Amino acid sequence: MSETKAEHPDAIDAVVEAWVRERPDLDLDAIAVAGRLGRVGLLLAPAQETVFTAFGLQKGEFDVLASLRRSGDPYTLRPSQLSATLMLTRAGMTNRLDRLEAAGLVERTLDPADRRSFRVRLTDKGYATVEDAMTAHTANVTRLLSALSEEQLGTLDGLLRILLRALET
């Protein structure tokens, strides 16, 4: 049984109720959902950042390491592949790579197939860091979403997948 706003009102209910009072002509169901999605994102982000910080990383740096790690052995990608995967400008990617290289977590080498380009590879230290950070991140997010049952989590995942697909097209 789903919770109703009467049983457990939240901050978004107050906003929607104010708009209903001021603009009763509007259907605010979508506004309520978008507001909750935004608020969940705002609340999840700092709770996730604490894990990355514990490993000396910013979220964006973790994203780079995680992209390299999940690419499979030899954990190497071109900067353009990383930029596309992370939806980041090349300049933004360069800044992240500079910080990660200075920390000894990645190394850049010339691309043997194209000497005008280079590849980014996880170092052993980078591999160990992302392994530990991913384990901690998974446990943290599981804890953060533990208010939902396994069935509810699956339903939410399916609904968000549909929404994301529609927004990306």
Side-chain angles (χ1 to χ4, degrees):
M1 176 181 209
S2 66
E3 293 186 7
T4 64
K5 69 179 179 177
E7 293 170 342
H8 300 282
D10 61 24
I12 302 303
D13 287 321
V15 171
V16 170
E17 287 172 14
W19 276 114
V20 166
R21 184 185 65 247
E22 296 299 316
R23 291 288 309 273
D25 58 309
L26 296 176
D27 177 356
L28 298 166
D29 290 344
I31 292 292
V33 170
R36 284 189 178 88
L37 286 171
R39 188 158 173 87
V40 164
L42 288 173
L43 293 169
L44 281 175
Q48 291 178 15
E49 277 291 333
T50 60
V51 170
F52 306 136
T53 301
F55 291 91
L57 300 170
Q58 296 173 11
K59 182 188 182 313
E61 294 165 348
F62 171 81
D63 290 343
V64 171
L65 297 177
S67 294
L68 289 166
R69 172 60 181 91
R70 69 177 178 260
S71 73
D73 195 11
Y75 315 113
T76 303
L77 293 170
R78 288 188 298 288
S80 60
Q81 292 171 299
L82 286 165
S83 294
T85 298
L86 300 175
M87 296 185 291
L88 190 65
T89 65
R90 290 190 184 202
M93 181 56 61
T94 297
N95 290 333
R96 285 185 189 175
L97 293 176
D98 288 346
R99 289 191 305 268
L100 290 167
E101 190 171 39
L105 301 173
V106 301
E107 66 180 8
R108 291 184 260 202
T109 58
L110 284 176
D111 186 341
D114 181 0
R115 305 283 293 170
R116 297 169 296 159
S117 183
F118 61 94
R119 293 185 171 269
V120 179
R121 184 184 72 79
L122 275 179
T123 62
D124 290 343
K125 179 181 176 184
Y127 182 91
T129 299
V130 74
E131 284 292 290
D132 292 343
M134 186 61 190
T135 298
H137 176 52
T138 300
N140 185 45
V141 172
T142 299
R143 180 188 58 78
L144 292 168
L145 299 183
S146 66
L148 300 175
S149 70
E150 199 172 310
E151 181 181 346
Q152 290 169 326
L153 196 57
T155 299
L156 180 59
D157 183 55
L159 293 171
L160 291 173
R161 180 177 283 111
I162 292 166
L163 179 59
L164 186 58
R165 193 176 307 123
L167 292 173
E168 288 179 336
T169 57

